Amino acid sequence: MFLDPKSSHCKDQMMMRLAKFSYLIFLICFIVICKPAELSNPCDPKSESYITSSILRFLTNDNSPSCLPGFPKPPTWGVHSDSLTNVEVLGMAIHNNKLYLGGIFQFLGPNTGGAAILNTVDGTLLDSNSCPYLELLSFSNVAISDERGGFYLAGNFSHLQGIAKQSLVHIQSNCKLDTNFDVGTGSGGSDIRDLLLVGEKIYIAGSFSTWNGSSRQNLAAVNRITGVLDTTWVPSADATVESILGDTDGIFIAGQFTSINASGIGRLAKISYDTGSTYGSFSANISAGAIRTIAIGRDVSNNKVIYAGGSFTAVSPANVKAFEMDGNMSAWNPAPNGLINDIAVLGSKVYLIGTFNLLGSTARINFAAVDNTGTVGGEDLGLSGSDTIASITEFGGKIYMLGNFTSIGGKSRRHGFSVDPSNGKISDWNPSFTTGFSYPNGKIAFSSDGSKVLVPGSYYSVNVVERNGFGSIDLNTGKPTDFNPQLTGTAIRSLHVRDHLLYAGGQFTSVLNSSRTNFFILNLNTLNLEGPAPTFNSNVESITTDENYIYVGGSFSNVAGTARSNIARLMLTNGTLDSWNPIGDGNVSSIHLLKDKVFVGGSFTNIGGSNTSYITSLNPINGINLLFPSATSFPNAYVSTIATYQNQLFIGGNFTIVGGQSTSRFSSFDLTTGSYSNQLLTTDNIVSTISIGENGKGMIGGYFTTINGSTKEGFVYYDFLNGRLLNSNVPSSGDVYKSFAVKNTHYFGGKINQVNNRPKGGFYFVELNN
């Protein structure tokens, strides 16, 4: 029986700490031995202040513009869920270099994409300084060792580490992409199921019909150095090849095919290394179904056999069998009542995983250990019927498994774990993936020195920590803080910081185990809630402050038991409701304070006692509509966002006309005259957010996919001073909902899933200096 381990493990990134410590010692020695002059010029390499400042920049990974040496910051983690459709960043704010995020998400985790190189012992990501993240777009199925410290990785992806690559890549021992290895279009997006490296060739199995434009039927081989297709190895299988396995004198292949090289031999066959020709001397009698996995082992007489698993019929035994070297079946017959996904062999034990609950008359759910006599062992993971295992791999005397589960034997293990079969203990390997594994992905590989394991899959992140829709990230380390506010509800939709207080609004019922309905105030120094905070009876979308008040907009009708229609004001000192009451007849999505005016945008047609549609300004004293920028000229649809720069107020939304003039969801007006400037750019969908830096450069984000007729999804960089798009726009995908600027750094979030061909979890930030 497999048992729980008693020990826990340390997940500190020791390599990074040792590197930093070594560098620090070097600098200190340099100061002592070289005895720099006592100069105050921080840009003089001989000065003490230069070296002291350099040490501080190194320890904080500071790479900002300076005469001092720069040190790149580590990758910033993102927000993630088990599906891209469940990731939305709706609120963002910064305090003390910590980024606070609210929205719809389950986890905070590194932006790895569907492949990651992990520590073999504990499952942590290797430090990005020594092993850069693979940043795969998007998924992978199988990895193998290159036998030189690196890996080959195959799947359905378009980019790795920002570089365009398809189907099959070589990852060097330093975790960087080998750009010299190139398979072109590879399988053209079709599945690759398995890989085999022998000599100078990589043999490839899957469900493809072409390889880099040349006809290949589910099997191909390429050069291990260049990736060039081997034109001499041309076997042809009439359907998917699921598994490929090397033997001393040939290659075993297994799958769904019914004939290999028109031989009539199907589902399990043996072919040559040189040409792919069929070995007629091996012929398994499989009458129906398909084989998913094969492994070489020894039978009870120590003869070599091929163990095969899947959903197939071989005469009468089904789903898993052992075949002798001529293709005849052995007597070994565990008889599972469901299909087998994968097999691992360790000594005399054959480990089976799949979807079954019986082996003969022995109850086992989806996992079993069978010895080479066919006897079912006592090993049992205690899986439930909904817990599935997709892959199983033996390495270093341990069994590694991936699947769809969140705990094993009472131990928290999110979709991945390993076990020591000698004592039945669950090991410290705890990678914690966003998403489960299902056949055929999750065929892992270990480096030649055994220190690293490459895990392919359809996940988005690994080593994740749970944060239900609200959390924070330290921008110095790029990793989550310990703050776990335990939000209950739909989502935070607005965050605003003033001094040391964070104001949050949205749709929720509690935070930090305290009742709060759609609004709360958090002290960021103590991480405790401030006051009881008023109850809003519906969604809060916008929050801002001045020296005396907190302005709140949304779709509510009641605040603290008092009627307030879509806009309200609270006292800054204690959060109590103020008498100011403009009464809007529709949602207020944006509030912007400027001098003696409170600008509001939304879906209203009457606010502050006057009929003004979608955009206007209110008197901050009595809430009366100031009928500015106009009492007669309005957008023809709602305004989502408001921003100002140099006497111009910029608006974005879903409007296509302003004051009778055609414009496309983005416009501006003069803050002195109220006159509009239309048709600044054209977009095919909603502009939801605008941020402008101190230098006049910024970004426009929304639901659009084109700008000025050209493809550009989610956001563009814009020069607000000169009224033109910046030429530094990068490829991206996903909608952008919210943004803000700190000096000239722009933070924006939404459903962002990639920027510059690298996976991103919900948000991104960029410095626009030039």
Side-chain angles (χ1 to χ4, degrees):
M1 185 74 76
F2 286 149
L3 304 174
D4 295 336
K6 295 180 180 178
S7 63
S8 61
H9 67 279
C10 177
K11 294 187 176 181
D12 293 335
Q13 300 292 333
M14 296 303 297
M15 291 180 64
M16 181 175 67
R17 291 186 176 184
L18 287 172
K20 285 191 173 185
F21 181 74
S22 299
Y23 189 82
L24 181 61
I25 294 299
F26 167 77
L27 289 178
I28 293 172
C29 291
F30 182 81
I31 293 172
V32 174
I33 295 172
C34 297
K35 296 180 180 178
E38 294 183 1
L39 302 175
S40 60
N41 181 3
C43 289
D44 186 339
K46 295 181 180 179
S47 72
E48 188 170 340
S49 60
Y50 177 92
I51 296 175
T52 303
S53 299
S54 295
I55 292 173
L56 291 173
R57 280 171 67 84
F58 177 75
L59 293 175
T60 59
N61 297 297
D62 189 353
N63 198 34
S64 59
S66 173
C67 61
L68 300 168
F71 304 95
K73 289 184 179 294
T76 301
W77 288 25
V79 304
H80 300 279
S81 289
D82 55 9
S83 169
L84 288 180
T85 59
N86 296 327
V87 174
E88 297 183 35
V89 172
L90 301 170
M92 309 175 76
I94 281 183
H95 180 259
N96 282 349
N97 216 32
K98 294 180 177 63
L99 178 63
Y100 291 84
L101 300 162
I104 299 171
F105 52 85
Q106 296 171 265
F107 314 106
L108 299 179
N111 298 313
T112 61
I117 299 175
L118 310 178
N119 184 293
T120 304
V121 176
D122 60 12
T124 55
L125 265 173
L126 301 185
D127 175 54
S128 61
N129 289 323
S130 60
C131 182
Y133 299 168
L134 297 181
E135 296 180 297
L136 189 77
L137 287 180
S138 51
F139 302 140
S140 57
N141 283 341
V142 56
I144 59 170
S145 169
D146 71 355
E147 300 175 354
R148 299 171 184 176
F151 303 93
Y152 293 97
L153 175 70
N156 189 4
F157 48 81
S158 61
H159 292 80
L160 188 141
Q161 293 176 342
I163 299 172
K165 290 289 182 181
Q166 295 185 51
S167 299
L168 177 63
V169 292
H170 179 218
I171 299 161
Q172 302 174 101
S173 59
N174 61 3
C175 304
K176 294 182 179 179
L177 177 68
D178 177 3
T179 56
N180 294 319
F181 180 88
D182 188 4
V183 299
T185 58
S187 65
S190 298
D191 262 354
I192 297 172
R193 299 297 177 90
D194 208 357
L195 299 173
L196 172 66
L197 172 63
V198 178
E200 296 305 303
K201 290 182 185 179
I202 304 169
Y203 299 92
I204 306 156
S207 60
F208 47 87
S209 59
T210 63
W211 188 270
N212 196 24
S214 296
S215 177
R216 286 294 185 275
Q217 296 300 314
N218 305 304
L219 290 161
V222 299
N223 182 277
R224 67 168 295 163
I225 303 299
T226 65
V228 172
L229 181 67
D230 188 317
T231 59
T232 64
W233 197 74
V234 287
S236 177
D238 66 355
T240 302
V241 178
E242 305 279 2
S243 186
I244 184 168
L245 181 64
D247 195 19
T248 53
D249 59 345
I251 302 171
F252 288 102
I253 61 170
Q256 302 175 30
F257 59 90
T258 58
S259 182
I260 178 73
N261 297 328
S263 64
I265 299 174
R267 301 179 180 91
L268 181 61
K270 191 175 185 179
I271 58 179
S272 74
Y273 281 113
D274 296 329
T275 65
S277 59
T278 307
Y279 284 22
S281 58
F282 181 90
S283 181
N285 187 10
I286 301 174
S287 57
I291 293 176
R292 289 190 165 186
T293 182
I294 50 177
I296 292 178
R298 296 279 174 173
D299 66 13
V300 70
S301 300
N302 203 34
N303 296 314
K304 186 163 61 176
V305 293
I306 298 293
Y307 292 103
S311 178
F312 64 91
T313 302
V315 185
S316 58
N319 300 330
V320 67
K321 278 299 297 180
F323 296 87
E324 298 169 352
M325 289 298 100
D326 58 3
N328 288 325
M329 285 183 295
S330 75
W332 188 78
N333 184 26
N337 66 343
L339 69 83
I340 301 298
N341 280 329
D342 206 0
I343 295 173
V345 177
L346 180 59
S348 63
K349 285 290 181 79
V350 182
Y351 295 91
L352 308 174
I353 55 105
T355 54
F356 52 82
N357 54 38
L358 288 174
L359 284 90
S361 59
T362 303
R364 290 289 183 273
I365 297 178
N366 300 337
F367 168 83
V370 184
D371 68 17
N372 54 15
T373 68
T375 302
V376 179
E379 296 90 339
D380 189 354
L381 295 175
L383 300 174
S384 70
S386 61
D387 294 332
T388 59
I389 309 292
S391 73
I392 181 168
T393 307
E394 182 277 326
F395 183 81
K398 288 188 173 63
I399 302 294
Y400 293 77
M401 285 180 259
L402 303 172
N404 196 346
F405 47 82
T406 55
S407 67
I408 295 293
K411 272 284 189 192
S412 175
R413 292 292 185 271
R414 186 172 179 85
H415 308 313
F417 74 100
S418 76
V419 62
D420 186 339
S422 66
N423 56 25
K425 291 184 177 181
I426 306 297
S427 81
D428 289 338
W429 198 71
N430 184 18
S432 193
F433 302 95
T434 55
T435 310
F437 295 78
S438 59
Y439 183 85
N441 61 32
K443 293 183 177 180
I444 68 176
F446 294 83
S447 60
S448 51
D449 65 359
S451 65
K452 298 178 289 190
V453 54
L454 173 52
V455 182
S458 57
Y459 54 88
Y460 309 102
S461 184
V462 63
N463 295 173
V464 297
V465 296
E466 293 192 13
R467 298 289 187 270
N468 184 32
F470 185 30
S472 62
I473 290 176
D474 187 322
L475 293 175
N476 287 322
T477 66
K479 294 183 179 181
T481 67
D482 292 333
F483 177 57
N484 186 8
Q486 300 172 321
L487 185 80
T488 302
T490 301
I492 286 176
R493 295 186 176 274
S494 181
L495 292 173
H496 172 75
V497 168
R498 184 179 183 88
D499 298 327
H500 63 284
L501 297 179
L502 176 70
Y503 302 90
Q507 292 174 293
F508 46 81
T509 56
S510 71
V511 65
L512 289 170
N513 296 314
S514 296
S515 177
R516 292 292 186 276
T517 304
N518 302 331
F519 180 83
F520 65 82
I521 304 171
L522 179 70
N523 186 317
L524 295 178
N525 291 337
T526 64
L527 295 181
N528 293 321
L529 294 173
E530 290 276 322
T535 292
F536 287 73
N537 72 330
S538 192
N539 183 42
V540 170
E541 288 191 19
S542 180
I543 303 173
T544 191
T545 59
D546 63 15
E547 290 77 9
N548 300 302
Y549 300 105
I550 308 162
Y551 292 83
V552 182
S555 57
F556 48 84
S557 60
N558 188 288
V559 180
T562 304
R564 287 293 185 272
S565 295
N566 305 306
I567 186 167
R569 191 167 73 179
L570 312 175
M571 298 297 296
L572 187 66
T573 53
N574 56 20
T576 59
L577 184 66
D578 181 61
S579 60
W580 191 76
N581 186 17
I583 305 176
D585 67 350
N587 179 66
V588 173
S589 57
S590 184
I591 303 175
H592 191 82
L593 307 180
L594 194 63
K595 297 180 180 177
D596 57 349
K597 296 180 178 66
V598 178
F599 286 94
V600 290
S603 60
F604 53 82
T605 57
N606 184 293
I607 194 168
S610 296
N611 291 321
T612 49
S613 298
Y614 310 124
I615 177 75
T616 194
S617 58
L618 305 172
N619 187 310
I621 297 174
N622 55 27
I624 292 174
N625 194 324
L626 297 174
L627 304 178
F628 184 86
S630 176
T632 57
S633 296
F634 311 116
N636 67 334
Y638 66 82
V639 171
S640 302
T641 183
I642 302 172
T644 56
Y645 187 74
Q646 290 195 349
N647 208 45
Q648 290 286 310
L649 190 145
F650 295 87
I651 62 173
N654 197 33
F655 49 86
T656 56
I657 296 172
V658 176
Q661 295 187 51
S662 176
T663 193
S664 182
R665 302 177 179 88
F666 176 64
S667 186
S668 70
F669 60 82
D670 187 286
L671 283 168
T672 301
T673 65
S675 58
Y676 277 94
S677 297
N678 293 321
Q679 211 59 29
L680 300 175
L681 52 78
T682 61
T683 174
D684 65 337
N685 212 329
I686 300 166
V687 170
S688 57
T689 186
I690 300 167
S691 67
I692 307 174
E694 292 178 349
N695 60 5
K697 296 179 174 64
M699 59 82 58
I700 300 167
Y703 298 73
F704 50 81
T705 58
T706 64
I707 291 285
N708 293 343
S710 299
T711 299
K712 185 64 190 80
E713 185 173 347
F715 70 91
V716 289
Y717 302 138
Y718 192 79
D719 184 344
F720 290 86
L721 179 63
N722 298 299
R724 61 181 179 86
L725 293 174
L726 295 174
N727 58 10
S728 58
N729 291 304
V730 298
S732 63
S733 61
D735 300 331
V736 174
Y737 303 150
K738 294 289 180 69
S739 66
F740 68 97
V742 178
K743 295 183 178 179
N744 296 314
T745 301
H746 298 263
Y747 299 81
F748 47 99
K751 293 183 74 69
I752 300 169
N753 55 66
Q754 72 93 358
V755 177
N756 208 17
N757 298 314
R758 296 174 185 265
K760 297 297 175 186
F763 71 93
Y764 187 65
F765 58 92
V766 63
E767 192 168 357
L768 296 177
N769 280 321
N770 299 320

